[in-house]
Amino acid sequence: MINKYDHITEYFESTFELNRIKTLPITDKFRLINYIKLVAKANDVAKAKNIDAITSSPLYKVDHTFHLFVSLLASELSTEVISDIIECYAFNFDESDVYFSKIVILGSGALMIQKGIESNAIISYLISLLGDDFLKNNYQRIFNERDVLGITDENEINIKYKNFDMTYRKLKYDMLALRQIKKDQGHAKVREVIFKHYDNRDLKLYYSMLDVHDKKISEYLYKKLMKDAPKMDRFLLTASRCMIKDTDIIDMHYLLNSVIGKYTNFLKPYSEVVEEIKMRENEILSLIP
Protein backbone atom coordinates (compact mmCIF):
# COMPACT_ATOMS: atom_id res chain seq x y z
CA MET A 1 0.00 0.00 0.00
CA ILE A 2 1.22 3.48 -0.83
CA ASN A 3 1.05 5.84 2.13
CA LYS A 4 -0.47 9.29 1.81
CA TYR A 5 2.85 11.11 1.43
CA ASP A 6 4.85 8.46 -0.43
CA HIS A 7 6.13 9.31 -3.87
CA ILE A 8 4.68 6.94 -6.46
CA THR A 9 8.05 6.10 -8.04
CA GLU A 10 9.57 5.21 -4.65
CA TYR A 11 6.52 3.12 -3.80
CA PHE A 12 6.69 1.04 -6.99
CA GLU A 13 10.45 0.56 -6.75
CA SER A 14 10.21 -0.70 -3.17
CA THR A 15 7.10 -2.85 -3.72
CA PHE A 16 7.50 -4.58 -7.09
CA GLU A 17 10.24 -6.60 -8.79
CA LEU A 18 10.73 -4.05 -11.56
CA ASN A 19 13.63 -6.04 -13.00
CA ARG A 20 10.99 -8.40 -14.38
CA ILE A 21 10.01 -5.60 -16.77
CA LYS A 22 13.58 -4.76 -17.81
CA THR A 23 14.35 -8.39 -18.73
CA LEU A 24 11.32 -8.85 -21.01
CA PRO A 25 11.95 -9.71 -24.68
CA ILE A 26 12.15 -6.58 -26.81
CA THR A 27 8.97 -7.55 -28.68
CA ASP A 28 7.02 -7.46 -25.40
CA LYS A 29 8.53 -4.09 -24.52
CA PHE A 30 7.21 -2.64 -27.77
CA ARG A 31 3.79 -4.08 -26.95
CA LEU A 32 3.94 -2.29 -23.59
CA ILE A 33 4.76 1.02 -25.31
CA ASN A 34 1.18 1.15 -26.57
CA TYR A 35 -0.12 1.00 -22.99
CA ILE A 36 2.26 3.78 -21.94
CA LYS A 37 0.83 5.92 -24.74
CA LEU A 38 -2.70 5.00 -23.62
CA VAL A 39 -1.99 6.24 -20.09
CA ALA A 40 -0.50 9.49 -21.42
CA LYS A 41 -3.46 10.16 -23.74
CA ALA A 42 -5.92 9.47 -20.90
CA ASN A 43 -3.96 11.82 -18.67
CA ASP A 44 -4.27 14.55 -21.31
CA VAL A 45 -8.06 14.11 -21.12
CA ALA A 46 -7.99 14.26 -17.32
CA LYS A 47 -5.82 17.39 -17.40
CA ALA A 48 -8.11 19.12 -19.89
CA LYS A 49 -11.30 18.18 -18.03
CA ASN A 50 -11.25 15.69 -15.14
CA ILE A 51 -10.81 11.97 -14.44
CA ASP A 52 -14.49 11.27 -15.06
CA ALA A 53 -14.05 12.57 -18.61
CA ILE A 54 -11.85 9.54 -19.39
CA THR A 55 -14.84 7.25 -18.83
CA SER A 56 -16.78 8.98 -21.62
CA SER A 57 -13.84 9.05 -24.05
CA PRO A 58 -12.98 6.33 -26.62
CA LEU A 59 -9.87 5.54 -24.55
CA TYR A 60 -12.03 3.99 -21.83
CA LYS A 61 -12.85 0.98 -24.01
CA VAL A 62 -9.47 0.43 -25.63
CA ASP A 63 -8.26 -2.09 -23.05
CA HIS A 64 -9.94 -4.27 -20.41
CA THR A 65 -7.35 -3.70 -17.67
CA PHE A 66 -7.18 0.04 -18.29
CA HIS A 67 -10.99 0.12 -18.12
CA LEU A 68 -10.75 -1.51 -14.68
CA PHE A 69 -8.19 0.93 -13.28
CA VAL A 70 -9.93 4.02 -14.68
CA SER A 71 -13.22 2.76 -13.22
CA LEU A 72 -11.52 2.57 -9.83
CA LEU A 73 -10.23 6.13 -10.26
CA ALA A 74 -13.69 7.34 -11.23
CA SER A 75 -15.13 5.60 -8.15
CA GLU A 76 -13.01 8.04 -6.12
CA LEU A 77 -11.19 5.34 -4.19
CA SER A 78 -8.22 6.52 -2.19
CA THR A 79 -4.67 6.13 -3.47
CA GLU A 80 -4.07 3.67 -0.63
CA VAL A 81 -6.90 1.35 -1.69
CA ILE A 82 -6.07 1.51 -5.40
CA SER A 83 -2.42 0.70 -4.69
CA ASP A 84 -3.52 -2.30 -2.62
CA ILE A 85 -5.69 -3.47 -5.51
CA ILE A 86 -2.79 -3.13 -7.97
CA GLU A 87 -0.55 -5.15 -5.64
CA CYS A 88 -3.16 -7.90 -5.31
CA TYR A 89 -3.64 -8.22 -9.07
CA ALA A 90 0.14 -8.29 -9.58
CA PHE A 91 0.46 -11.12 -7.03
CA ASN A 92 -1.59 -13.31 -9.39
CA PHE A 93 1.04 -13.16 -12.12
CA ASP A 94 4.09 -14.79 -10.54
CA GLU A 95 4.60 -16.90 -13.66
CA SER A 96 3.84 -14.30 -16.34
CA ASP A 97 6.28 -11.43 -16.56
CA VAL A 98 4.38 -9.71 -19.36
CA TYR A 99 1.05 -9.77 -17.48
CA PHE A 100 2.84 -8.54 -14.36
CA SER A 101 4.46 -5.77 -16.38
CA LYS A 102 1.18 -4.63 -17.88
CA ILE A 103 -0.39 -4.41 -14.40
CA VAL A 104 2.54 -2.34 -13.11
CA ILE A 105 2.61 -0.05 -16.18
CA LEU A 106 -1.13 0.65 -16.13
CA GLY A 107 -1.33 0.65 -12.32
CA SER A 108 1.45 3.15 -11.80
CA GLY A 109 0.07 5.17 -14.68
CA ALA A 110 -3.39 5.27 -13.09
CA LEU A 111 -1.93 6.45 -9.78
CA MET A 112 0.03 9.16 -11.59
CA ILE A 113 -3.16 10.31 -13.32
CA GLN A 114 -4.87 10.44 -9.92
CA LYS A 115 -1.96 12.50 -8.52
CA GLY A 116 -2.14 14.98 -11.40
CA ILE A 117 1.37 14.34 -12.73
CA GLU A 118 2.11 15.81 -16.18
CA SER A 119 1.90 13.50 -19.20
CA ASN A 120 5.53 13.87 -20.32
CA ALA A 121 6.73 12.92 -16.84
CA ILE A 122 4.47 9.85 -16.88
CA ILE A 123 5.84 8.75 -20.26
CA SER A 124 9.43 9.30 -19.16
CA TYR A 125 8.99 7.29 -15.96
CA LEU A 126 7.14 4.40 -17.56
CA ILE A 127 9.61 4.12 -20.45
CA SER A 128 12.46 4.04 -17.92
CA LEU A 129 10.98 0.85 -16.47
CA LEU A 130 11.76 -0.91 -19.76
CA GLY A 131 15.53 -0.60 -19.26
CA ASP A 132 18.32 1.87 -20.05
CA ASP A 133 19.25 0.49 -23.47
CA PHE A 134 15.65 0.38 -24.63
CA LEU A 135 15.13 3.92 -23.32
CA LYS A 136 18.18 5.32 -25.16
CA ASN A 137 17.31 3.64 -28.43
CA ASN A 138 13.58 4.42 -28.51
CA TYR A 139 12.86 7.49 -26.38
CA GLN A 140 12.71 10.02 -29.21
CA ARG A 141 10.69 7.73 -31.46
CA ILE A 142 8.14 7.08 -28.74
CA PHE A 143 7.66 10.79 -28.07
CA ASN A 144 7.38 11.56 -31.78
CA GLU A 145 4.67 8.90 -32.10
CA ARG A 146 2.99 9.42 -28.72
CA ASP A 147 -0.43 10.12 -30.30
CA VAL A 148 -0.39 6.91 -32.36
CA LEU A 149 -1.97 3.94 -30.55
CA GLY A 150 -1.17 0.58 -32.09
CA ILE A 151 -3.09 -1.87 -29.91
CA THR A 152 -4.40 -4.62 -32.20
CA ASP A 153 -5.60 -8.19 -31.83
CA GLU A 154 -2.10 -9.35 -32.72
CA ASN A 155 -0.06 -7.29 -30.28
CA GLU A 156 -2.41 -6.70 -27.34
CA ILE A 157 -1.51 -8.19 -23.97
CA ASN A 158 -4.87 -9.71 -23.14
CA ILE A 159 -4.91 -10.62 -19.44
CA LYS A 160 -7.40 -13.37 -18.65
CA TYR A 161 -9.41 -12.53 -15.53
CA LYS A 162 -11.79 -14.81 -13.66
CA ASN A 163 -15.42 -13.96 -14.32
CA PHE A 164 -17.06 -16.24 -11.76
CA ASP A 165 -15.28 -18.37 -9.19
CA MET A 166 -17.36 -20.64 -6.97
CA THR A 167 -14.31 -21.53 -4.87
CA TYR A 168 -14.18 -18.01 -3.46
CA ARG A 169 -17.62 -16.54 -4.03
CA LYS A 170 -19.38 -17.71 -0.84
CA LEU A 171 -16.25 -17.08 1.23
CA LYS A 172 -15.96 -13.54 -0.16
CA TYR A 173 -19.49 -12.69 0.93
CA ASP A 174 -18.84 -14.29 4.31
CA MET A 175 -15.86 -11.96 4.78
CA LEU A 176 -17.91 -8.94 3.69
CA ALA A 177 -20.65 -10.02 6.11
CA LEU A 178 -18.13 -10.22 8.96
CA ARG A 179 -17.00 -6.70 8.09
CA GLN A 180 -20.66 -5.62 8.23
CA ILE A 181 -21.06 -7.28 11.64
CA LYS A 182 -18.12 -5.27 12.92
CA LYS A 183 -19.59 -2.10 11.46
CA ASP A 184 -23.00 -2.79 13.01
CA GLN A 185 -22.03 -4.36 16.33
CA GLY A 186 -18.40 -3.52 16.98
CA HIS A 187 -14.95 -5.04 17.36
CA ALA A 188 -15.75 -7.35 20.25
CA LYS A 189 -18.70 -8.88 18.40
CA VAL A 190 -16.82 -9.72 15.24
CA ARG A 191 -14.01 -11.29 17.31
CA GLU A 192 -16.60 -13.39 19.13
CA VAL A 193 -18.06 -14.59 15.84
CA ILE A 194 -14.68 -15.36 14.24
CA PHE A 195 -13.17 -17.16 17.23
CA LYS A 196 -16.22 -18.94 18.66
CA HIS A 197 -18.74 -19.51 15.88
CA TYR A 198 -17.25 -19.17 12.38
CA ASP A 199 -15.43 -22.36 11.44
CA ASN A 200 -12.25 -21.29 9.64
CA ARG A 201 -8.98 -22.02 11.42
CA ASP A 202 -6.80 -19.98 9.05
CA LEU A 203 -9.01 -16.91 9.41
CA LYS A 204 -8.71 -17.20 13.20
CA LEU A 205 -4.94 -17.45 12.90
CA TYR A 206 -4.49 -14.47 10.59
CA TYR A 207 -7.02 -12.26 12.35
CA SER A 208 -5.37 -12.90 15.72
CA MET A 209 -1.91 -12.15 14.29
CA LEU A 210 -2.92 -8.89 12.65
CA ASP A 211 -5.31 -7.60 15.33
CA VAL A 212 -2.63 -5.98 17.50
CA HIS A 213 -2.40 -2.46 18.91
CA ASP A 214 0.86 -1.65 17.13
CA LYS A 215 -0.37 -0.89 13.60
CA LYS A 216 3.15 -0.79 12.17
CA ILE A 217 3.77 -4.34 13.41
CA SER A 218 0.40 -5.41 12.00
CA GLU A 219 1.26 -3.97 8.58
CA TYR A 220 4.74 -5.52 8.69
CA LEU A 221 3.25 -8.95 9.44
CA TYR A 222 0.69 -8.54 6.68
CA LYS A 223 3.36 -7.74 4.08
CA LYS A 224 5.63 -10.53 5.30
CA LEU A 225 2.91 -13.17 5.27
CA MET A 226 1.49 -12.05 1.92
CA LYS A 227 4.81 -12.26 0.10
CA ASP A 228 4.99 -16.01 -0.53
CA ALA A 229 1.54 -17.14 0.59
CA PRO A 230 -0.83 -19.24 -1.55
CA LYS A 231 -3.87 -17.45 -2.93
CA MET A 232 -6.33 -18.67 -0.26
CA ASP A 233 -4.03 -17.44 2.50
CA ARG A 234 -3.61 -14.08 0.76
CA PHE A 235 -7.39 -13.86 0.51
CA LEU A 236 -7.89 -14.47 4.24
CA LEU A 237 -5.02 -12.15 5.16
CA THR A 238 -6.51 -9.36 3.05
CA ALA A 239 -9.99 -9.95 4.47
CA SER A 240 -8.62 -9.86 8.03
CA ARG A 241 -6.70 -6.67 7.36
CA CYS A 242 -9.77 -5.01 5.84
CA MET A 243 -11.88 -5.87 8.89
CA ILE A 244 -9.21 -4.69 11.31
CA LYS A 245 -8.60 -1.42 9.43
CA ASP A 246 -12.35 -0.75 9.02
CA THR A 247 -12.03 -0.64 5.24
CA ASP A 248 -15.20 0.52 3.51
CA ILE A 249 -17.24 -2.51 2.43
CA ILE A 250 -17.33 -1.67 -1.28
CA ASP A 251 -13.55 -1.01 -1.21
CA MET A 252 -13.11 -4.40 0.48
CA HIS A 253 -15.25 -5.96 -2.26
CA TYR A 254 -12.90 -4.57 -4.93
CA LEU A 255 -9.84 -5.70 -2.96
CA LEU A 256 -11.03 -9.26 -2.52
CA ASN A 257 -11.85 -9.47 -6.23
CA SER A 258 -8.29 -8.43 -7.00
CA VAL A 259 -6.87 -11.15 -4.73
CA ILE A 260 -9.02 -13.74 -6.52
CA GLY A 261 -7.95 -12.35 -9.88
CA LYS A 262 -11.57 -11.60 -10.71
CA TYR A 263 -12.62 -8.72 -12.92
CA THR A 264 -14.97 -6.34 -11.10
CA ASN A 265 -18.21 -5.75 -12.96
CA PHE A 266 -18.93 -2.07 -12.39
CA LEU A 267 -22.31 -2.41 -14.11
CA LYS A 268 -23.64 -4.67 -11.36
CA PRO A 269 -25.93 -2.68 -9.04
CA TYR A 270 -24.35 -2.20 -5.62
CA SER A 271 -27.75 -2.99 -4.11
CA GLU A 272 -27.30 -6.63 -5.20
CA VAL A 273 -23.96 -6.80 -3.38
CA VAL A 274 -25.51 -5.30 -0.24
CA GLU A 275 -28.43 -7.73 -0.41
CA GLU A 276 -26.15 -10.76 -0.56
CA ILE A 277 -23.97 -9.42 2.26
CA LYS A 278 -27.06 -8.99 4.43
CA MET A 279 -28.21 -12.53 3.68
CA ARG A 280 -24.82 -13.96 4.69
CA GLU A 281 -24.71 -11.72 7.78
CA ASN A 282 -28.03 -13.16 8.96
CA GLU A 283 -26.86 -16.73 8.30
CA ILE A 284 -23.63 -16.20 10.24
CA LEU A 285 -25.38 -14.56 13.19
CA SER A 286 -27.84 -17.46 13.28
CA LEU A 287 -24.90 -19.68 14.31
CA ILE A 288 -24.76 -17.90 17.67
CA PRO A 289 -26.85 -19.73 20.32
Side-chain angles (χ1 to χ4, degrees):
M1 177 185 74
I2 185 171
N3 292 316
K4 184 175 182 180
Y5 299 106
D6 283 351
H7 197 283
I8 290 172
T9 55
E10 294 172 357
Y11 160 71
F12 272 86
E13 286 163 14
S14 64
T15 303
F16 298 99
E17 296 178 53
L18 297 182
N19 195 54
R20 293 175 64 184
I21 304 176
K22 292 181 181 179
T23 55
L24 283 172
I26 194 166
T27 52
D28 286 336
K29 291 182 180 182
F30 276 111
R31 293 163 75 195
L32 287 168
I33 287 297
N34 288 309
Y35 298 103
I36 294 174
K37 293 178 182 178
L38 177 60
V39 170
K41 287 172 76 68
N43 191 55
D44 290 341
V45 173
K47 285 286 190 183
K49 299 179 181 178
N50 51 48
I51 288 174
D52 283 345
I54 304 173
T55 65
S56 56
S57 76
L59 301 170
Y60 190 48
K61 298 181 179 179
V62 167
D63 177 78
H64 207 44
T65 301
F66 189 65
H67 185 281
L68 170 63
F69 288 150
V70 171
S71 297
L72 294 171
L73 291 180
S75 298
E76 298 185 348
L77 269 66
S78 68
T79 300
E80 289 85 352
V81 172
I82 293 178
S83 66
D84 277 342
I85 290 171
I86 294 166
E87 287 182 43
C88 288
Y89 276 118
F91 264 122
N92 286 296
F93 302 125
D94 287 342
E95 297 180 3
S96 175
D97 288 342
V98 73
Y99 281 7
F100 166 85
S101 299
K102 181 179 177 180
I103 290 290
V104 172
I105 292 287
L106 291 181
S108 58
L111 290 175
M112 287 179 168
I113 290 173
Q114 187 184 48
K115 290 285 191 179
I117 295 173
E118 62 167 310
S119 296
N120 285 348
I122 292 177
I123 292 177
S124 294
Y125 173 68
L126 296 181
I127 294 174
S128 75
L129 298 181
L130 300 175
D132 293 345
D133 288 341
F134 189 89
L135 173 66
K136 291 174 183 176
N137 293 330
N138 297 286
Y139 181 83
Q140 194 60 53
R141 172 185 167 187
I142 291 164
F143 264 92
N144 290 343
E145 300 175 359
R146 60 171 290 174
D147 291 327
V148 180
L149 278 180
I151 301 174
T152 66
D153 290 341
E154 292 183 357
N155 68 13
E156 70 173 333
I157 302 170
N158 188 18
I159 294 175
K160 303 295 183 183
Y161 296 97
K162 295 180 183 294
N163 290 319
F164 197 82
D165 193 320
M166 289 304 295
T167 302
Y168 287 92
R169 192 176 193 282
K170 178 180 178 298
L171 185 59
K172 180 180 79 172
Y173 280 96
D174 280 1
M175 298 301 103
L176 294 169
L178 289 170
R179 170 69 186 99
Q180 186 66 49
I181 289 170
K182 185 182 180 190
K183 183 177 180 181
D184 292 343
Q185 302 188 42
H187 178 256
K189 188 65 176 182
V190 78
R191 283 188 62 91
E192 176 193 348
V193 173
I194 289 172
F195 291 106
K196 294 183 179 180
H197 306 291
Y198 189 80
D199 187 19
N200 189 308
R201 291 175 59 190
D202 289 336
L203 178 64
K204 293 174 184 175
L205 169 65
Y206 293 137
Y207 197 95
S208 64
M209 289 185 71
L210 299 181
D211 190 23
V212 294
H213 290 296
D214 192 320
K215 301 309 177 188
K216 289 185 178 180
I217 292 293
S218 179
E219 194 66 14
Y220 168 80
L221 289 171
Y222 171 76
K223 293 289 187 184
K224 180 179 176 64
L225 293 167
M226 284 284 284
K227 188 172 182 181
D228 298 310
K231 182 181 288 187
M232 180 58 78
D233 294 78
R234 287 191 277 113
F235 183 88
L236 294 173
L237 278 161
T238 302
S240 298
R241 179 173 176 252
C242 285
M243 285 184 260
I244 291 164
K245 292 184 66 174
D246 294 329
T247 300
D248 181 81
I249 287 178
I250 190 62
D251 295 357
M252 181 175 173
H253 179 251
Y254 296 149
L255 271 166
L256 293 181
N257 279 351
S258 66
V259 177
I260 297 167
K262 180 182 181 298
Y263 194 86
T264 294
N265 180 7
F266 289 91
L267 298 177
K268 182 177 180 179
Y270 182 47
S271 59
E272 293 182 17
V273 176
V274 172
E275 184 178 343
E276 189 155 0
I277 292 171
K278 190 63 181 176
M279 181 184 71
R280 289 301 303 139
E281 181 185 7
N282 291 336
E283 290 175 4
I284 290 170
L285 290 174
S286 71
L287 300 173
I288 303 174

